[in-house]
């Protein structure tokens, strides 16, 4: 079920209403049943995949907690293999098979391994990682094994963040299903307000930008360098508004019922360097890789060259997590190189620059933000391109800076206006957030008039046939 659908509006109202009407002891069952219905609205049979991993990890958690010595590690490995195995079959089997075919073809050897005609289950990477975080935390002794099978199932399947995150840790979410949430006016208002802003990002900004981006990236050979630059910048804001919009709708819908989900985005395009960008972008995934992969590889406890290698490995795997295509792997590797270079610059160069130019110089801050944004936009080319050949074609034309703009019409003006609206909002919140929220919360007329304006923006300018969210494919 898509958040940006009429069906979800009715679903959300009914589920939330019943949640507060039911006695506390039955609420977990309502949420679990609603989450199953929510997921079955996509491809019903794929609920069986979730059921398989839930059963495996539920019992793995209990056995890990009750075991000692090497047996605990073997149980964890078995659980991880089961989860990664499901992900590998549905997401990477045909990708691996394609590469085997290509390698064998170079030697004139046919590949007789059959291809699988299967669809990737919606959000498989997200709930797989959330399930893995549970067994890892139980193994580390940071989370007691959950004995209530229904509550554990709900932890994996909680509908607001089931298909695109935020990827929660068991320490933050599991205990909340035992808490008796009362109807709290402030939670309801805050949650609905966050959902409204998420819908604005998705329907008013992301889906309108998608019209231009899809037209250009769908046929890059027909477009000039300038048009491809504009489309790449538009895509940077499209993917941000699409994914952060989903996260805010998810966090808001959970907050209405009293649940607290982690913040997933924190105005990343105002970051002054790559390291800061990755602390602000897709926070739940970035911290997941840090906590469970980077630290497991040695983290910062090893030699500096090894630290750099660990970071590069993490970003390569992050790229592969996003999709079974070499474009995603290159995107991940490129961001790894960015981060390693930034760390080296900070270690060997910045200390000398700071003696000449003050760190808090406003002009330098703006320049750093622009440089960071340009680097991120360049990497987005690989993320958005439909193939590696398309990516190289786009890069070749981008650096020519040639040709007139494509779609220089009302659509272009609309896209620029939408991005300006977003940037002004985020810059004001970044610089004067405390004052703005204090004024906003104390002025009832300002609050309600802004709600009306945002609803009208969605109704008048929103795109209601934009389809699913970008990150559903991951």
């Amino acid at each position: 079920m898509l958040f940006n659908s009429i069906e979800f509006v009715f679903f959300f109202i009914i589920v939330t209403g019943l949640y507060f009407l039911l006695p506390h002891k039955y609420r977990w069952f309502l949420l679990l049943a609603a989450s199953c219905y929510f997921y079955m609205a996509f491809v019903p049979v794929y609920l069986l995949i979730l059921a398989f991993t839930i059963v495996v990890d539920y019992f793995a958690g209990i056995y890990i907690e009750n075991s000692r010595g090497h047996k605990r590690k073997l149980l964890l490995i078995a659980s991880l293999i089961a989860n990664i195995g499901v992900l590998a079959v549905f997401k990477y089997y045909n990708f691996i098979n394609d590469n085997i075919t290509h390698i064998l073809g170079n030697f004139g050897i046919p590949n007789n391994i059959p291809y699988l005609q299967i669809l990737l289950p919606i959000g498989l990477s997200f709930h797989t990682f959330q399930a893995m975080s549970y067994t890892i935390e139980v193994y580390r002794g940071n989370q007691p094994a959950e004995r209530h099978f229904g509550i554990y199932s709900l932890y994996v399947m909680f509908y607001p963040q089931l298909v695109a995150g935020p990827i929660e840790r068991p320490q933050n979410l599991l205990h909340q299903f035992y808490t008796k949430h009362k109807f709290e006016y402030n939670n309801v208002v805050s949650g609905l307000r966050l959902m409204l802003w998420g819908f604005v990002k998705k329907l008013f900004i992301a889906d309108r930008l998608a019209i231009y981006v899809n037209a250009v990236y769908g046929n890059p050979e027909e477009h000039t360098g300038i048009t491809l630059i504009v489309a790449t910048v538009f895509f940077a804001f499209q993917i941000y508004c699409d994914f952060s919009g989903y996260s805010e709708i998810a966090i808001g819908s959970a907050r209405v019922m009293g649940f607290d989900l982690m913040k997933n985005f924190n105005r990343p395009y105002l970051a002054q360097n790559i390291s800061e960008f990755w602390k602000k972008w897709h926070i739940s995934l970035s911290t997941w890789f840090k906590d469970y992969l980077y630290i497991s590889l040695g983290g910062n406890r090893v030699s500096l060259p090894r630290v750099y290698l660990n970071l590069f490995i993490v970003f390569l795997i992050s790229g592969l997590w996003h999709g079974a295509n070499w474009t995603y792997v290159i995107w991940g590797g490129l961001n790894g190189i960015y981060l390693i270079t930034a760390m080296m610059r900070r270690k060997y160069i910045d200390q000398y620059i700071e003696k000449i130019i003050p760190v808090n110089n406003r002009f330098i801050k703006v320049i750093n933000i622009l440089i960071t944004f340009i680097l991120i936009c360049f990497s987005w080319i690989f993320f958005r391109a439909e193939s590696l050949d398309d990516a190289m074609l786009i890069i070749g034309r981008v650096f020519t800076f040639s040709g007139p703009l494509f779609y220089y019409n009302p659509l272009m003006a609309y896209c620029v206006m939408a991005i300006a609206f977003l940037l002004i909002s985020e810059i004001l919140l970044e610089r004067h957030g405390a004052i703005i929220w204090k004024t906003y919360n104390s002025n009832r007329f300002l609050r309600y008039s802004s709600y009306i304006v945002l609803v009208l923006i969605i109704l008048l300018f929103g795109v209601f046939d934009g389809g699913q969210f970008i990150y559903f494919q991951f």
Side-chain angles (χ1 to χ4, degrees):
M1 185 182 299
L2 297 173
F3 279 168
N4 52 328
S5 66
I6 294 297
E7 291 82 3
F8 175 74
V9 174
F10 288 106
F11 171 86
F12 171 74
I13 293 172
I14 292 170
V15 171
T16 305
L18 289 174
Y19 179 80
F20 287 115
L21 289 173
L22 283 175
H24 172 67
K25 63 180 179 179
Y26 300 121
R27 288 178 176 178
W28 71 267
F29 182 78
L30 166 71
L31 290 179
L32 182 58
S35 298
C36 290
Y37 177 81
F38 179 87
Y39 194 72
M40 289 174 66
F42 296 107
V43 181
V45 71
Y46 280 167
L47 187 65
L48 297 176
I49 300 170
L50 270 172
F52 168 75
T53 57
I54 286 171
V55 170
V56 168
D57 294 329
Y58 170 75
F59 286 106
I62 294 173
Y63 288 132
I64 288 170
E65 186 177 67
N66 293 336
S67 301
R68 296 292 179 269
H70 292 296
K71 188 177 180 181
R72 297 179 77 251
K73 182 173 287 188
L74 290 174
L75 287 166
L76 173 65
I77 291 172
S79 170
L80 296 180
I81 289 174
N83 282 276
I84 296 172
V86 169
L87 194 60
V89 169
F90 283 91
K91 191 168 184 176
Y92 302 110
Y93 177 89
N94 288 337
F95 172 68
I96 295 170
N97 206 6
D98 277 336
N99 284 277
I100 292 173
T101 300
H102 179 74
I103 293 170
L104 293 179
N106 290 330
F107 299 96
I109 304 173
N111 178 18
N112 296 319
I113 302 174
Y115 283 82
L116 297 179
Q117 301 299 320
I118 54 176
L119 294 174
L120 176 66
I122 293 288
L124 181 61
S125 297
F126 286 91
H127 47 72
T128 297
F129 269 32
Q130 181 150 317
M132 288 168 64
S133 70
Y134 167 76
T135 50
I136 294 171
E137 292 295 347
V138 172
Y139 174 79
R140 291 179 175 178
N142 299 326
Q143 170 66 38
E146 178 55 56
R147 260 61 180 181
H148 192 304
F149 182 74
I151 294 292
Y152 175 72
S153 301
L154 183 55
Y155 161 75
V156 177
M157 294 195 60
F158 190 39
Y159 87 82
Q161 38 92 228
L162 171 60
V163 293
I167 304 169
E168 285 291 347
R169 306 296 189 273
Q171 298 96 316
N172 180 45
L173 187 57
L174 263 173
H175 70 89
Q176 295 191 58
F177 296 126
Y178 288 99
T179 303
K180 185 176 182 180
H181 297 121
K182 297 180 181 179
F183 183 90
E184 296 283 350
Y185 176 79
N186 289 336
N187 283 340
V188 173
V189 171
S190 175
L192 291 176
R193 186 166 60 203
L194 195 57
M195 292 177 71
L196 179 59
W197 183 236
F199 283 120
V200 168
K201 281 185 171 181
K202 170 62 175 173
L203 298 171
F204 171 60
I205 305 176
D207 286 349
R208 189 69 67 174
L209 292 170
I211 298 172
Y212 188 100
V213 173
N214 292 343
V216 176
Y217 267 81
N219 300 283
E221 67 281 355
E222 297 180 3
H223 301 292
T224 64
I226 296 296
T227 298
L228 290 165
I229 290 173
V230 172
T232 301
V233 172
F234 282 4
F235 176 70
F237 287 100
Q238 178 203 347
I239 191 171
Y240 168 54
C241 290
D242 191 284
F243 194 22
S244 66
Y246 178 94
S247 295
E248 282 155 4
I249 297 169
I251 295 168
S253 60
R255 186 179 297 172
V256 169
M257 294 183 289
F259 294 94
D260 181 29
L261 301 183
M262 71 181 296
K263 190 173 185 177
N264 216 14
F265 290 85
N266 187 21
R267 298 185 282 276
Y269 289 142
L270 298 181
Q272 296 184 51
N273 54 63
I274 296 297
S275 177
E276 185 183 354
F277 174 84
W278 283 108
K279 290 176 182 176
K280 292 171 172 283
W281 178 277
H282 202 343
I283 299 168
S284 64
L285 180 65
S286 298
T287 53
W288 196 99
F289 276 113
K290 175 186 174 183
D291 294 342
Y292 303 124
L293 182 57
Y294 178 68
I295 290 176
S296 298
L297 291 172
N300 297 330
R301 305 184 306 276
V302 294
S303 64
L304 194 58
R306 179 65 185 277
V307 169
Y308 296 153
L309 178 61
N310 290 346
L311 284 171
F312 190 66
I313 291 171
V314 167
F315 273 93
L316 283 178
I317 295 175
S318 172
L320 191 59
W321 178 90
H322 280 85
N325 194 312
W326 285 110
T327 54
Y328 293 112
V329 177
I330 293 172
W331 168 81
L334 187 57
N335 277 279
I337 292 171
Y338 286 165
L339 186 57
I340 293 167
T341 303
M343 291 176 65
M344 295 174 69
R345 191 197 74 176
R346 188 163 59 247
K347 181 175 178 62
Y348 298 109
I349 300 175
D350 283 3
Q351 55 182 319
Y352 301 106
I353 295 176
E354 289 170 6
K355 293 178 181 179
I356 304 170
I357 304 173
V359 179
N360 59 355
N361 184 285
R362 184 171 296 180
F363 176 74
I364 296 300
K365 285 183 178 180
V366 173
I367 294 299
N368 286 338
I369 290 172
L370 288 174
I371 292 173
T372 302
F373 179 73
I374 290 169
L375 290 173
I376 293 298
C377 281
F378 181 77
S379 71
W380 283 138
I381 292 174
F382 290 98
F383 196 95
R384 178 59 182 82
E386 296 179 2
S387 67
L388 192 55
D389 288 339
D390 279 359
M392 300 314 296
L393 170 67
I394 291 166
I395 290 170
R397 292 198 177 179
V398 158
F399 282 102
T400 65
F401 300 100
S402 62
L405 281 173
F406 173 68
Y407 274 176
Y408 190 73
N409 59 17
L411 176 61
M412 170 71 75
Y414 179 97
C415 290
V416 172
M417 178 189 68
I419 291 172
F421 171 76
L422 174 72
L423 286 176
I424 291 170
S425 301
E426 298 213 330
I427 290 171
L428 287 174
L429 287 172
E430 181 82 4
R431 297 183 62 186
H432 309 291
I435 297 173
I436 289 172
W437 285 119
K438 183 178 180 180
T439 305
Y440 188 82
N441 290 325
S442 62
N443 191 319
R444 183 176 297 179
F445 173 78
L446 178 63
R447 278 203 314 277
Y448 287 103
S449 60
S450 66
Y451 298 156
I452 293 170
V453 168
L454 291 177
V455 169
L456 288 176
I457 284 175
I458 293 172
L459 294 176
L460 296 176
F461 301 103
V463 178
F464 292 94
D465 58 350
Q468 68 181 26
F469 290 78
I470 291 174
Y471 264 68
F472 277 18
Q473 63 187 294
F474 307 130

